[in-house]
Amino acid sequence: MISHLLQSSSKDTSFYLFLAYILIGVIIFSYILSLFLKARDKKKE
Amino acid sequence: MKKLLRKWATLFSILALFTNILALLMVFFYAPTEVQMGEVQKIFYYHVPCAIASYFMVFISFVFSIAFLVKKDEKYDIWAYAGAEVGLVFILCVLVSGPIWGKAAWGKWWVWEPRLTTFLIIFLIYFSYILVRIFGKQDPKTLKVASVFSIIGFLDVPLVNRAVYWWGSIVHPKSVSLEPQMKLTFFVSLLSVIILSLSFLFWRVSVDERVIDND
């Protein structure tokens, strides 16, 4: 793993990498939450 | 019906949880860092699978929309709506991760090149589809209009795929050659995202108000 990291280019782009994965995570979890809320509403009815 | 759907949804959810954990571990600790672009190239391992999952979901929506228009049975529309909605979630993931990758690798958030533009059109069509569904409620005309939207939306998918070959591209290569470790990570990520999309699809169908629990 460390040898892979040593290969990285001179430009540090890890911020963008984490930003992209965090935003994908936010979208996925928001959708999971919306499904939970929809299921709860349906149960109440 | 609902119980069976929930069984499948639960099965896919459990599988999705484990495969996604494995995929993320592989992306961050196993896949080698690409020399030219550096760490940011690892966006690829979810960016491309999300795009493929979105095509898969809009294809499901396309097939069930045709079935609904032909057979006029609402059970097909339930699947078409679910496919379009889940597809839009993954389209959004692609549209969020792509510009971040572009900014880090090429210094630009967005370029108006054929593949990006045709993909944006897919987003706009399915976004319109969801708006039609929300504001049109369950009116029979709404269901028909939405089905036509879904069919038109899917017809854009081959255009996105062929855009690079027909009109060229500044940022998307025609083909990608990957190291064996990168290839393995990509296929695990693809599998994990496809399973996740299927779990969303089954959950979404099971929570539709038209699905009744008759088991």
Side-chain angles (χ1 to χ4, degrees):
Chain A
M1 187 192 97
I2 292 164
S3 62
H4 300 151
L5 294 175
L6 289 174
Q7 278 188 341
S8 64
S9 69
S10 56
K11 204 167 68 173
D12 182 21
T13 54
S14 51
F15 164 73
Y16 291 101
L17 175 70
F18 287 113
L19 181 66
Y21 275 90
I22 285 167
L23 289 178
I24 289 174
V26 168
I27 294 167
I28 297 292
F29 279 104
S30 303
Y31 190 61
I32 292 170
L33 188 66
S34 80
L35 286 176
F36 267 118
L37 293 175
K38 212 169 163 59
R40 199 188 60 176
D41 286 350
K42 201 184 166 188
K43 226 177 195 177
K44 273 183 192 171
E45 284 166 16
Chain B
M1 174 76 175
K2 202 173 96 179
K3 270 185 188 168
L4 185 68
L5 284 169
R6 294 219 162 162
K7 259 184 200 168
W8 279 105
T10 310
L11 175 73
F12 280 124
S13 300
I14 294 165
L15 278 173
L17 181 71
F18 286 110
T19 51
N20 274 283
I21 289 170
L22 178 67
L24 285 171
L25 286 173
M26 287 178 82
V27 168
F28 288 102
F29 301 109
Y30 173 75
T33 304
E34 208 260 348
V35 184
Q36 292 258 306
M37 283 185 269
E39 293 281 335
V40 80
Q41 183 270 341
K42 291 184 174 186
I43 290 176
F44 164 82
Y45 299 112
Y46 265 74
H47 177 76
V48 179
C50 283
I52 295 170
S54 72
Y55 299 154
F56 180 40
M57 287 296 123
V58 298
F59 174 69
I60 286 170
S61 180
F62 167 75
V63 170
F64 282 102
S65 293
I66 292 174
F68 171 72
L69 288 178
V70 173
K71 306 243 177 177
K72 311 252 183 304
D73 188 338
E74 271 200 37
K75 76 177 178 200
Y76 297 115
D77 180 68
I78 294 169
W79 286 90
Y81 190 8
E85 193 179 289
V86 176
L88 190 68
V89 170
F90 287 99
I91 288 170
L92 209 58
C93 289
V94 177
L95 281 179
V96 164
S97 59
I100 294 171
W101 187 2
K103 175 68 182 165
W106 304 288
K108 279 189 177 174
W109 294 102
W110 184 268
V111 279
W112 290 100
E113 57 111 45
R115 179 164 277 180
L116 290 180
T117 310
T118 46
F119 196 81
L120 182 68
I121 292 169
I122 292 190
F123 167 76
L124 293 173
I125 292 172
Y126 282 96
F127 185 66
S128 311
Y129 176 98
I130 299 296
L131 289 182
V132 167
R133 299 302 304 243
I134 292 170
F135 293 109
K137 303 248 181 310
Q138 300 297 345
D139 183 65
K141 263 188 188 169
T142 303
L143 305 189
K144 274 186 194 166
V145 171
S147 299
V148 173
F149 262 77
S150 176
I151 293 164
I152 294 170
F154 180 73
L155 295 179
D156 192 24
V157 172
L159 283 183
V160 179
N161 182 263
R162 302 318 295 172
V164 177
Y165 300 92
W166 291 344
W167 303 299
S169 174
I170 317 162
V171 291
H172 290 97
K174 281 182 185 166
S175 61
V176 185
S177 60
L178 296 172
E179 293 289 311
Q181 282 172 302
M182 288 175 155
K183 222 178 246 178
L184 183 64
T185 309
F186 173 73
F187 284 117
V188 172
S189 300
L190 178 62
L191 185 73
S192 71
V193 175
I194 294 287
I195 293 171
L196 183 68
S197 68
L198 284 171
S199 81
F200 282 174
L201 182 76
F202 280 95
W203 280 119
R204 180 61 188 83
V205 171
S206 76
V207 299
D208 193 293
E209 55 266 26
R210 291 169 289 175
V211 174
I212 40 165
D213 200 356
N214 54 0
D215 294 290

